[in-house]
Amino acid sequence: MSVLKMTDIHKSFSGVSVLRGVHLTVQSGEVVGLLGENGAGKSTLMKILTGEYRADSGEITLDGQSVSLDSIHRAKQLGFGMIHQELNLFQNLSIAENFLIGNEHHFNHSGFVNYRQLNERVKQILQLVNLQRTPTELLSSLGVGEQQLVEIGKSLLQKVRFLAMDEPTSALSQAETERLFQIIQSLCEQGVGVIYISHRLDELFHITHRVTVLRDGKFIATKPVQETNEEELVSLMVGRSIEDRYPTVHVNPGPIVMKTVGLQTAFVKNVDLTVCAGEIVGLGGLMGSGRTEVARALTGVDRVTSGHLQYMGNPIQLRSPQEAIRAGIAYVTEDRKELGLVLPFSLRANVSLPTLPARTRFGLVQRDVERDFARDVVEMLHIKVHDIEDPVESLSGGNQQKVVLAKWLAQKPSLFVLDEPTRGVDVGAKQEIYQLMNELKQQGKAILLISSDLPELLAMSDRVYVMHEGHLQGELPKQLVTEEAVMRLATGGSM
Amino acid sequence: MERFGAVIRRYHLGPLIGLVILLFVLSVLSHQFFTFGNLRNVALQTSVNALLAVGMTFVILTAGIDLSVGSSLALSSAISAGLMASHLNVWLSALVGIAVGAACGLLNGVFVAYARLAPFIVTLGTMTLYRGLTEIYTNGNPIFNLPNGFSNFGSGSVLSIPIPVILAALVFILGWITLHRSTYGRRIYAIGGNERVAYLAGVPVKKYLVSVYVISGVLASIAGLVLTSRLSSAEPTAGTGYELDAITAVVLGGTSLFGGEGAILGTLVGALILGVISNGLNLLNVNSFYQDAIKGLIILAAIMLDRKKANSR
Amino acid sequence: MERFGAVIRRYHLGPLIGLVILLFVLSVLSHQFFTFGNLRNVALQTSVNALLAVGMTFVILTAGIDLSVGSSLALSSAISAGLMASHLNVWLSALVGIAVGAACGLLNGVFVAYARLAPFIVTLGTMTLYRGLTEIYTNGNPIFNLPNGFSNFGSGSVLSIPIPVILAALVFILGWITLHRSTYGRRIYAIGGNERVAYLAGVPVKKYLVSVYVISGVLASIAGLVLTSRLSSAEPTAGTGYELDAITAVVLGGTSLFGGEGAILGTLVGALILGVISNGLNLLNVNSFYQDAIKGLIILAAIMLDRKKANSR
Amino acid sequence: GTAGVSNTNSSGTGNGASGSGGTSGQYTVGFAVSTTNNPFFVAMENGVQQEGQAKGVKVIVDNGNNDPSTQMNQVQDLIQQKVNVILLNPVSSQSLSSAVKAANQANIPVITLDRSVDSGKVACYIASNSVDAGKMAAQQLIKALNGKGQVVELQGVMGTSAERDREKGFDQEISTAPGIQVVARQSANFDRSTALNVMQNILQAHPHIQGVFAQNDEMALGALKAIQQSGKSGISLVGIDGEQEAVLDVQSGLMYADIAQQPTQEGKLGVDYALDAIKGKSIPTRVNSPLQLVTKGSTFKGF
Ligand SMILES: Nc1ncnc2c1ncn2[C@@H]1O[C@H](COP(=O)(O)OP(=O)(O)OP(=O)(O)O)[C@@H](O)[C@H]1O
Ligand SMILES: Nc1ncnc2c1ncn2[C@@H]1O[C@H](COP(=O)(O)OP(=O)(O)OP(=O)(O)O)[C@@H](O)[C@H]1O
Ligand SMILES: [Mg+2]
Ligand SMILES: [Mg+2]
């Protein structure tokens, strides 16, 4: 039975204060939720625990003994592990080798890799996290959700005493999430202390024993989970109460904006769907069911091999994203790091990227217009950023996600394809994004919403299509959309 | 104040500090160094590499590389000179040379962008190919007997500033505006920063990739015209090894070979550092056996000053 | 079947197909080509570049580059030869040479890993520096009058296979085992794939980075011993331009200059392609003015075969 | 790269040694040339090719790109192809010795052009002395300056034999004129555009020089441009090689003198002696082709 205590932790980055006196206590066998808005400092606090950053001041004790976490190595020795919010994986290596790096001592045979032992062990772990892949496959062939499972699996390989999980479920759907909870439970039984970060509040009530809330880098409170409720946590976290987490508006759907007829690409087949003006259409399914691939086909990224698209009533061929953008189709990608952002670019340059041609005069960028737009979106989406000239890589995960969304707003498209638009976004900001979606809907925009967050999908969509193994398994009108119905279709059942 | 720090970071003033130190040391060591005449020489001697380095900056910003510049220079200037020697109009001959440079770049660009081949190996192949074509065209002999008017272009000056220097300065200003103020330039950085993100944001990535190699080829041919005119002859071996000097200027100037990061002012500084080193070693009459070692040490010292930048490779 | 496809992808068999086609074409065009004696020559002529290319593969896999190999080769072999010429024991002299190579690599590695400077510019600086030191040490004169025993090492053979070929083969096998079977090798790939992630996973990134440059330096010195022994003299200009051949072999073999991707078998194939091209052009007595053009075309053709791979640059 | 030292005297036009054409249809001569990056060696290659054609000999040319090991490989390839004679213009005297030994073992006669090798059996060596060329250049400068004044020397690629030998000869001879001071020695890598820049810099540092010795004509031509562009006059420039452009400049008075060689003739001679060697005739082991001094008014053509 051991206790990890972080007391009065302070941390700032080049003069900007990020953590201001934070406390956190975890015991072995316990799950502590860590809650806070985007940019509140959760990831930073955890990175201090794993030796990636050093605290400016404060004390960390393990069983009453003060420990100094001055290196990654030291933190590892002490048994502190972490599942990173941003996937920390090697795209160029196989799944098994991703498990190997950092854990070589388990599979070391006088300097050589014992591949048989490695593959065996990885196979077990993949089963444990429910990932149907062989260990020798290249990591880069996996979708984001699958990669997240690998990241989770990696932490099971190490003998950890305390494990920080930074939004492990942000790209997981229901089934995988439940699997993860079973894993967490068994870890606790083995005496591991878990720090669990998530913006999906329901999960915290499911899995944690206590919740610690941060706001703006400050410690707000720690509550046993039985003694609190969602409303209280939300108001502790954002400093005000949020009435309606899923605001909806009713709009009578207009004409069909996008219609697919027998759409087929290398990854999906026989997809027939429609999205109308003034409508939010949900696209659900399990991880790897091909939702992203549908989005890619609608936005000119993937080649359509048979069937066709009808846009605003006319057949359309999209040979590149450029053509899609010109036609008025915006694609908010799910993988912000790889596909959504130019990380070293400033926020200003990122949000203006798709609309540059419109901001050009005599070939030159109109920088004042650009700056004004950047300031507008920062305000509109409450993006937490020190300066619009800061590189987006220094933003917190959720704020980065908002930037991905923001860059399409100036384009004034007719169709938005949103692939996991609220991945890693906090409750308050989520509500803002929903309100934004509603506004767009009222303006007569068509929205295709892909989401693994079931409550969000159910609440926000006017209709829901569900995919299963690369094809549309069925369509659910608003009145029939329930968690059970979606899950039934997603697992290959029928309505 | 805060803005000033940002400017230093953004425009990589590290190498500039290196250049200033170098200028200072040389002024102390040689009283001829800091004279108008000598600085004019340095500028003139840097102009060819500077022209190549501007094109190279564009290419490297897209995470590419162009090893073929020296050979493109040789091929285009051999053809221009050949035409001039056979009494074609000078301007027309020069234009044909530039067209040849553009064609060299176009071939590189098409291989890189449309066949999706690694720029290093593509331009290594074309470097050898263009050199071979130059040898075939010239039969291995220099082309001389060029019209006097053409020679004046390389050796003439306006207000005692040599024409090649003015030309290089113009190209730098154009390059700066293009890279740092135009939409085109922004998109070049975006491609280098994350090609897929740029593509998804509607940037016609392939066309842009082709364009940077064409720019590099065109500037190589202009550099070739400057060189030919300065020497009043086109050599089949002209430009051998120039790609390395151009790349060095770019990298010394703080631009990352991995694309998306860097600035053209750094390139100018990088090119000047190289030019100043050669000039200084000559002025001080350093024993030729020691020159290489000293040059190596200065390059290492110069980048040490840029440490902070390199951190974020 | 699936495994076979995976093997092709994983070990980049594209360039191998290119090599096979090249061998086939040359066998048809020249009846001397596919003889034991000639293939033996090709192998012997490839051995020096192959040795350098193995070290370069390690460096490039970490997203680095080592431009200094040719100069490290020259410096280490000049020092070995100097010691031999002054009658030090041959083995000891060779060992000192290898130590010099290791030191050259160590300096590169420390600059890259600890000072966090861009490998291109660091090794460009040391390339010039080491060349300068060689010139100073040799005073620009070749060192000859080496003991006979040493010359036999480069020109001798075992079972009619030249010793340099055997040496290069051993180094390749060792390199293969290290890169593809050892934990060290996997970590090199991990660093090349994502240095930051590797660091967070607990890989001592700095030490590993240093180590690849040391490997490259050591192999450069071994290549230098082979060269010196074959020529029975150490030239101050030895190895000039060899870095480009070594990098070309690596890249032609499908290894990405951006790190983390590639395989050492590709490097072997790349080095052999270069060796076969030179040998073939000589055998066919191609006009030397046409050789460059043809060589460039063959390189371009060879990479076209590897298109699919390059896609994932 | 540059020429080594070869000189061809007027007698070296291939008269002495030619087998009569037509009888030698099956013979193959391998020519390993150090580089074709320089007009000097291009001319030598042309000589070999022309004479080969004239005499009906098949010629295989290999370009060593100034790298000894490349050339070593090429000699091996020539041996492999069982050529009748190897004409070798070695990149380096020391390094190519082992290649010559390999040819000796295969019983293929070797004729060296322009430079020879230190060991191994050479049937015939056709060249002149690089050291002499340097000396002659120095004599011309001494004459031009009347034995006093400041001169500079433009060096070739450091570490090459041509650079060393020409410098040696020049230094020996110039020191006989105590009034002459060598104020700068800088390398311009045997390259024209490098020489232009280096000379510009030297003129800056030493505005009062009166003479320039360039170790080859390419550098002399670059230096000439620098001098012309500086607007200075009265600087005497001496080069080595006999390149046509330089010879023309001497004749028009832009350069003071050139120490010319005739690489074309040298190449022709090589083929002629090669045929003799094949036919078992005895050939001289050393053919000296004297250097040709080109000064204003001389009618020498250059290559
Ligand atoms: N390396 C860094 N340099 C500068 N600022 C940073 C850096 N890392 C984080 N920050 C800033 O610190 C603040 C806290 O970031 P952190 O990633 O800890 O937030 P978070 O609570 O994890 O948010 P999210 O829920 O969005 O993941 C943010 O404002 C962020 O911009
Ligand atoms: N580039 C690719 N190459 C090969 N297979 C791919 C590629 N991209 C995606 N796939 C496969 O296509 C299937 C569907 O992809 P993906 O996982 O993105 O679907 P999804 O329904 O959007 O799921 P997610 O919840 O992960 O977003 C997966 O099996 C995935 O591995
Ligand atoms: Mg976070
Ligand atoms: Mg998806």
Side-chain angles (χ1 to χ4, degrees):
Chain A
M1 186 67 181
S2 37
V3 185
L4 171 68
K5 246 194 173 108
M6 300 178 85
T7 318
D8 201 21
I9 303 290
H10 286 257
K11 173 76 186 165
S12 57
F13 291 105
S14 43
V16 182
S17 175
V18 169
L19 294 176
R20 296 178 263 183
V22 173
H23 315 284
L24 183 72
T25 309
V26 204
Q27 298 181 352
S28 39
E30 183 193 34
V31 184
V32 175
L34 187 57
L35 194 61
E37 285 179 293
N38 295 133
K42 305 179 293 294
S43 299
T44 306
L45 186 67
M46 292 302 100
K47 286 175 181 171
I48 288 172
L49 195 59
T50 54
E52 190 175 335
Y53 295 151
R54 294 193 65 175
D56 299 339
S57 67
E59 194 183 32
I60 300 168
T61 61
L62 185 59
D63 298 332
Q65 298 282 79
S66 171
V67 291
S68 95
L69 295 169
D70 49 5
S71 73
I72 305 244
H73 186 67
R74 179 82 189 117
K76 239 176 134 167
Q77 257 181 350
L78 290 169
F80 299 163
M82 171 146 168
I83 296 170
H84 283 85
Q85 178 177 18
E86 309 300 336
L87 299 171
N88 275 356
L89 297 168
F90 302 101
Q91 301 290 333
N92 61 325
L93 298 182
S94 70
I95 297 176
E97 286 165 345
N98 266 283
F99 281 83
L100 172 72
I101 303 301
N103 297 303
E104 290 87 350
H105 49 286
H106 292 309
F107 310 104
N108 191 331
H109 193 274
S110 53
F112 296 100
V113 182
N114 187 337
Y115 273 101
R116 192 140 47 95
Q117 196 191 337
L118 173 67
N119 288 339
E120 206 104 304
R121 184 84 182 88
V122 170
K123 214 154 139 197
Q124 289 170 2
I125 293 177
L126 293 187
Q127 258 161 21
L128 207 62
V129 297
N130 219 359
L131 179 58
Q132 266 82 31
R133 292 284 194 162
T134 42
T136 49
E137 281 179 84
L138 266 185
L139 188 92
S140 55
S141 69
L142 270 55
V144 182
E146 293 174 309
Q147 293 192 13
Q148 199 152 44
L149 290 179
V150 173
E151 181 85 35
I152 291 168
K154 264 173 60 180
S155 64
L156 300 180
L157 199 57
Q158 296 153 3
K159 277 258 171 297
V160 290
R161 296 163 73 184
F162 291 95
L163 180 61
M165 295 185 163
D166 198 350
E167 303 192 33
T169 55
S170 67
L172 297 188
S173 56
Q174 200 90 354
E176 291 82 23
T177 304
E178 261 148 39
R179 186 80 203 168
L180 176 67
F181 289 168
Q182 288 170 13
I183 294 169
I184 294 178
Q185 223 115 53
S186 81
L187 283 175
C188 287
E189 278 156 25
Q190 291 160 36
V192 176
V194 174
I195 303 162
Y196 188 89
I197 302 177
S198 178
H199 289 295
R200 296 183 180 175
L201 287 181
D202 51 328
E203 291 178 358
L204 296 177
F205 287 93
H206 227 279
I207 190 75
T208 64
H209 302 106
R210 290 183 299 129
V211 180
T212 293
V213 182
L214 308 183
R215 190 197 314 147
D216 215 8
K218 280 180 295 215
F219 173 83
I220 300 298
T222 295
K223 300 244 162 187
V225 81
Q226 296 97 330
E227 296 170 17
T228 182
N229 54 38
E230 288 201 12
E231 283 68 42
E232 189 191 10
L233 287 183
V234 168
S235 65
L236 284 174
M237 178 176 150
V238 295
R240 64 189 154 96
S241 61
I242 290 182
E243 320 276 74
D244 188 1
R245 299 237 331 259
Y246 296 105
T248 49
V249 292
H250 181 76
V251 173
N252 281 328
I256 294 178
V257 172
M258 176 62 91
K259 179 182 166 88
T260 67
V261 184
L263 180 75
Q264 188 165 335
T265 70
F267 305 103
V268 295
K269 51 187 180 298
N270 292 325
V271 176
D272 291 276
L273 55 75
T274 56
V275 191
C276 301
E279 193 184 29
I280 297 176
V281 176
L283 187 60
L286 294 184
M287 214 182 63
S289 58
R291 293 163 300 173
T292 296
E293 277 64 26
V294 170
R296 289 160 62 94
L298 296 184
T299 53
V301 183
D302 280 353
R303 219 164 57 88
V304 174
T305 50
S306 86
H308 68 275
L309 305 179
Q310 275 177 19
Y311 182 65
M312 307 286 205
N314 302 314
I316 188 173
Q317 263 198 333
L318 300 171
R319 279 172 302 251
S320 69
Q322 191 186 17
E323 290 185 0
I325 292 167
R326 282 205 189 123
I329 300 170
Y331 175 28
V332 174
T333 48
E334 67 177 331
D335 186 347
R336 58 179 171 252
K337 221 168 147 189
E338 300 285 334
L339 301 176
L341 299 168
V342 183
L343 289 173
F345 266 29
S346 65
L347 182 147
R348 169 183 56 79
N350 263 294
V351 293
S352 70
L353 197 56
T355 31
L356 270 182
R359 298 189 199 301
T360 301
R361 191 186 285 162
F362 311 121
L364 304 184
V365 181
Q366 292 178 285
R367 287 152 67 89
D368 40 353
V369 180
E370 197 188 10
R371 252 181 236 122
D372 290 345
F373 174 67
R375 292 207 184 95
D376 286 351
V377 293
V378 165
E379 198 176 322
M380 183 161 62
L381 297 177
H382 300 280
I383 299 175
K384 190 171 178 227
V385 60
H386 186 61
D387 181 343
I388 56 167
E389 298 300 329
D390 284 351
V392 289
E393 59 197 337
S394 73
L395 266 59
S396 80
N399 283 304
Q400 287 183 3
Q401 186 65 40
K402 292 185 199 169
V403 175
V404 179
L405 189 60
K407 70 178 188 176
W408 294 101
L409 294 178
Q411 181 73 19
K412 309 244 181 292
S414 319
L415 171 66
F416 282 88
V417 178
L418 309 179
D419 197 353
E420 312 279 4
T422 61
R423 188 181 151 213
V425 172
D426 68 45
V427 195
K430 261 185 193 157
Q431 194 212 30
E432 281 151 15
I433 291 175
Y434 300 145
Q435 264 158 5
L436 185 76
M437 282 162 60
N438 287 334
E439 272 168 44
L440 294 170
K441 187 169 152 185
Q442 280 165 327
Q443 290 164 22
K445 311 289 188 194
I447 296 175
L448 181 69
L449 170 67
I450 299 173
S451 176
S452 298
D453 185 344
L454 263 189
E456 164 181 303
L457 192 72
L458 302 189
M460 296 309 299
S461 310
D462 295 316
R463 285 182 292 134
V464 173
Y465 291 100
V466 182
M467 294 199 67
H468 172 67
E469 291 183 351
H471 63 271
L472 277 191
Q473 187 75 10
E475 178 188 351
L476 297 168
K478 181 97 190 170
Q479 58 275 20
L480 291 185
V481 182
T482 58
E483 286 200 17
E484 292 71 36
V486 173
M487 286 315 286
R488 202 163 52 239
L489 286 173
T491 49
S494 59
M495 305 162 56
Chain B
M1 207 46 228
E2 211 279 333
R3 254 194 85 68
F4 186 67
V7 166
I8 291 209
R9 242 181 304 117
R10 191 173 174 100
Y11 298 107
H12 309 294
L13 297 189
L16 186 57
I17 298 167
L19 178 61
V20 170
I21 295 178
L22 202 58
L23 292 177
F24 179 76
V25 170
L26 283 171
S27 307
V28 170
L29 292 179
S30 157
H31 60 277
Q32 286 123 349
F33 179 76
F34 214 82
T35 59
F36 176 73
N38 189 56
L39 294 180
R40 191 170 165 277
N41 274 354
V42 172
L44 181 58
Q45 291 163 16
T46 304
S47 58
V48 167
N49 187 27
L51 286 168
L52 296 176
V54 170
M56 194 65 82
T57 307
F58 278 78
V59 173
I60 290 181
L61 279 173
T62 66
I65 198 147
D66 187 355
L67 300 178
S68 75
V69 284
S71 299
S72 305
L73 180 157
L75 182 59
S76 60
S77 48
I79 291 178
S80 295
L83 293 174
M84 286 180 202
S86 58
H87 307 297
L88 190 70
N89 173 289
V90 170
W91 290 101
L92 201 58
S93 310
L95 265 183
V96 172
I98 293 174
V100 170
C104 289
L106 186 68
L107 187 65
N108 289 332
V110 167
F111 269 112
V112 169
Y114 288 91
R116 312 260 353 116
L117 298 169
F120 181 91
I121 194 84
V122 165
T123 57
L124 182 103
T126 58
M127 165 171 96
T128 318
L129 174 64
Y130 301 157
R131 180 67 61 193
L133 295 177
T134 312
E135 284 163 1
I136 295 172
Y137 180 80
T138 60
N139 232 322
N141 288 311
I143 299 171
F144 50 105
N145 279 332
L146 305 182
N148 277 336
F150 179 62
S151 304
N152 292 342
F153 151 68
S155 48
S157 28
V158 173
L159 300 173
S160 77
I161 297 182
I163 295 176
V165 175
I166 296 174
L167 189 65
L170 282 178
V171 167
F172 259 100
I173 292 170
L174 257 175
W176 186 86
I177 293 176
T178 308
L179 277 182
H180 299 294
R181 286 291 173 265
S182 81
T183 300
Y184 174 84
R186 181 70 66 73
R187 288 175 148 193
I188 294 295
Y189 274 90
I191 291 172
N194 189 331
E195 196 178 308
R196 284 194 293 172
V197 172
Y199 178 69
L200 290 172
V203 177
V205 172
K206 292 183 183 184
K207 284 184 199 137
Y208 273 65
L209 283 180
V210 172
S211 73
V212 293
Y213 289 91
V214 172
I215 290 174
S216 178
V218 166
L219 289 177
S221 67
I222 293 176
L225 290 170
V226 169
L227 193 67
T228 309
S229 150
R230 284 188 70 202
L231 292 171
S232 307
S233 81
E235 309 263 323
T237 55
T240 308
Y242 282 20
E243 64 284 350
L244 204 60
D245 284 339
I247 298 169
T248 304
V250 175
V251 179
L252 206 51
T255 295
S256 158
L257 284 170
F258 295 87
E261 260 180 71
I264 203 147
L265 280 180
T267 299
L268 177 60
V269 172
L272 285 173
I273 290 180
L274 293 180
V276 167
I277 294 178
S278 306
N279 173 271
L281 291 174
N282 286 156
L283 285 192
L284 298 175
N285 194 26
V286 175
N287 182 321
S288 305
F289 285 128
Y290 288 84
Q291 291 203 359
D292 273 342
I294 293 172
K295 190 175 166 190
L297 287 174
I298 295 178
I299 290 176
L300 289 175
I303 40 165
M304 287 300 286
L305 287 168
D306 200 27
R307 265 190 67 169
K308 222 186 96 219
K309 181 71 230 68
N311 256 325
S312 69
R313 86 142 194 222
Chain C
M1 208 49 229
E2 209 281 332
R3 259 195 80 69
F4 186 66
V7 166
I8 289 206
R9 242 180 304 115
R10 193 172 173 102
Y11 297 107
H12 311 295
L13 297 189
L16 186 57
I17 299 169
L19 177 61
V20 170
I21 295 177
L22 202 59
L23 293 177
F24 178 77
V25 170
L26 284 172
S27 307
V28 170
L29 292 179
S30 157
H31 59 276
Q32 285 135 344
F33 179 75
F34 212 82
T35 58
F36 176 73
N38 189 58
L39 294 182
R40 191 168 164 276
N41 272 357
V42 172
L44 180 59
Q45 292 161 15
T46 305
S47 56
V48 167
N49 186 28
L51 285 168
L52 296 176
V54 170
M56 195 64 83
T57 306
F58 277 77
V59 173
I60 290 182
L61 279 174
T62 67
I65 198 146
D66 187 355
L67 299 178
S68 75
V69 284
S71 300
S72 306
L73 180 157
L75 182 59
S76 60
S77 48
I79 291 178
S80 296
L83 293 174
M84 286 181 202
S86 58
H87 306 295
L88 190 71
N89 173 289
V90 171
W91 289 101
L92 201 57
S93 312
L95 265 181
V96 173
I98 292 174
V100 171
C104 290
L106 186 67
L107 186 65
N108 289 333
V110 167
F111 269 112
V112 169
Y114 289 90
R116 315 263 346 119
L117 298 168
F120 182 92
I121 194 82
V122 166
T123 57
L124 183 102
T126 57
M127 166 171 96
T128 318
L129 174 64
Y130 300 157
R131 177 69 60 195
L133 294 179
T134 312
E135 284 164 2
I136 296 171
Y137 179 80
T138 61
N139 228 322
N141 290 311
I143 298 169
F144 46 105
N145 281 333
L146 305 181
N148 277 335
F150 179 63
S151 305
N152 291 343
F153 151 69
S155 48
S157 28
V158 174
L159 299 174
S160 74
I161 298 182
I163 293 176
V165 175
I166 296 174
L167 189 65
L170 282 178
V171 168
F172 259 102
I173 293 171
L174 258 175
W176 186 85
I177 293 177
T178 309
L179 278 182
H180 297 294
R181 285 288 170 266
S182 78
T183 48
Y184 173 85
R186 289 295 95 191
R187 288 176 151 198
I188 295 294
Y189 275 85
I191 291 171
N194 193 328
E195 197 179 306
R196 174 136 192 93
V197 174
Y199 171 72
L200 293 178
V203 178
V205 172
K206 292 183 184 186
K207 285 185 198 137
Y208 274 68
L209 282 179
V210 171
S211 73
V212 294
Y213 289 90
V214 171
I215 290 175
S216 179
V218 166
L219 289 177
S221 67
I222 293 177
L225 289 171
V226 169
L227 194 67
T228 310
S229 149
R230 282 188 68 203
L231 298 171
S232 304
S233 82
E235 306 265 333
T237 55
T240 309
Y242 283 20
E243 65 284 350
L244 203 60
D245 283 339
I247 298 169
T248 305
V250 175
V251 179
L252 208 50
T255 295
S256 159
L257 285 170
F258 295 86
E261 260 181 69
I264 203 147
L265 280 180
T267 300
L268 177 60
V269 172
L272 285 173
I273 290 179
L274 292 179
V276 167
I277 294 178
S278 308
N279 173 271
L281 290 174
N282 288 345
L283 285 192
L284 296 175
N285 191 26
V286 175
N287 181 320
S288 57
F289 286 136
Y290 286 83
Q291 289 203 2
D292 273 343
I294 292 172
K295 190 175 166 190
L297 287 175
I298 295 177
I299 291 176
L300 290 175
I303 40 164
M304 288 300 285
L305 287 168
D306 201 28
R307 266 190 65 168
K308 223 184 95 221
K309 181 72 232 64
N311 255 325
S312 67
R313 86 143 196 220
Chain D
T2 192
V5 173
S6 75
N7 41 15
T8 316
N9 66 10
S10 35
S11 75
T13 42
N15 43 4
S18 50
S20 45
T23 59
S24 46
Q26 301 308 319
Y27 298 135
T28 308
V29 170
F31 176 38
V33 63
S34 58
T35 174
T36 52
N37 267 358
N38 183 301
F40 181 88
F41 296 106
V42 173
M44 185 187 286
E45 186 195 334
N46 286 339
V48 171
Q49 295 275 21
Q50 284 164 19
E51 191 70 2
Q53 207 148 38
K55 297 285 159 67
V57 181
K58 188 180 170 214
V59 176
I60 298 177
V61 182
D62 287 344
N63 174 4
N65 283 322
N66 268 333
D67 182 56
S69 82
T70 302
Q71 191 168 53
M72 166 111 183
N73 296 339
Q74 288 169 339
V75 173
Q76 270 166 348
D77 289 343
L78 290 173
I79 296 171
Q80 185 65 36
Q81 295 172 78
K82 303 195 168 58
V83 297
N84 300 95
V85 182
I86 292 174
L87 293 181
L88 175 64
N89 159 232
V91 171
S92 144
S93 307
Q94 284 78 29
S95 295
L96 268 299
S97 298
S98 34
V100 172
K101 284 179 195 156
N104 294 158
Q105 267 177 12
N107 274 324
I108 299 174
V110 178
I111 295 174
T112 50
L113 299 179
D114 189 57
R115 277 179 288 232
S116 196
V117 289
D118 286 353
S119 57
K121 210 174 91 231
V122 173
C124 173
Y125 169 34
I126 307 169
S128 64
N129 195 325
S130 265
V131 181
D132 287 349
K135 283 187 179 165
M136 284 172 75
Q139 284 158 5
Q140 290 306 309
L141 272 187
I142 294 170
K143 193 171 134 201
L145 272 61
N146 281 324
K148 65 178 194 303
Q150 297 183 341
V151 300
V152 299
E153 176 175 10
L154 291 180
Q155 302 161 303
V157 176
M158 302 310 290
T160 57
S161 64
E163 193 284 318
R164 285 196 305 273
D165 291 347
R166 289 171 186 183
E167 180 164 346
K168 189 169 153 203
F170 180 80
D171 285 359
Q172 277 175 11
E173 192 66 22
I174 208 80
S175 62
T176 62
I180 290 190
Q181 219 192 329
V182 183
V183 291
R185 273 196 191 84
Q186 291 287 291
S187 171
N189 292 332
F190 289 131
D191 178 68
R192 196 186 294 204
S193 57
T194 311
L196 167 57
N197 290 343
V198 171
M199 194 64 213
Q200 255 176 356
N201 295 336
I202 292 176
L203 284 172
Q204 190 70 39
H206 305 283
H208 305 300
I209 57 159
Q210 287 140 294
V212 178
F213 165 50
Q215 288 182 356
N216 78 346
D217 280 347
E218 284 292 307
M219 293 192 293
L221 291 165
L224 177 62
K225 286 283 165 257
I227 294 167
Q228 286 176 331
Q229 284 163 24
S230 74
K232 289 194 182 0
S233 57
I235 297 178
S236 304
L237 178 59
V238 179
I240 296 181
D241 270 358
E243 211 180 298
Q244 195 188 359
E245 214 178 328
V247 169
L248 289 174
D249 285 341
V250 172
Q251 282 158 356
S252 63
L254 293 171
M255 274 173 65
Y256 182 77
D258 192 32
I259 315 302
Q261 315 173 74
Q262 293 176 358
T264 320
Q265 300 296 355
E266 223 173 282
K268 286 184 177 172
L269 270 181
V271 174
D272 295 341
Y273 284 118
L275 271 175
D276 287 352
I278 294 168
K279 291 173 182 155
K281 292 190 197 168
S282 77
I283 52 174
T285 53
R286 178 75 167 87
V287 175
N288 205 7
S289 44
L291 295 156
Q292 175 82 36
L293 172 63
V294 185
T295 50
K296 193 167 184 178
S298 92
T299 56
F300 183 84
K301 274 273 193 1
F303 57 84

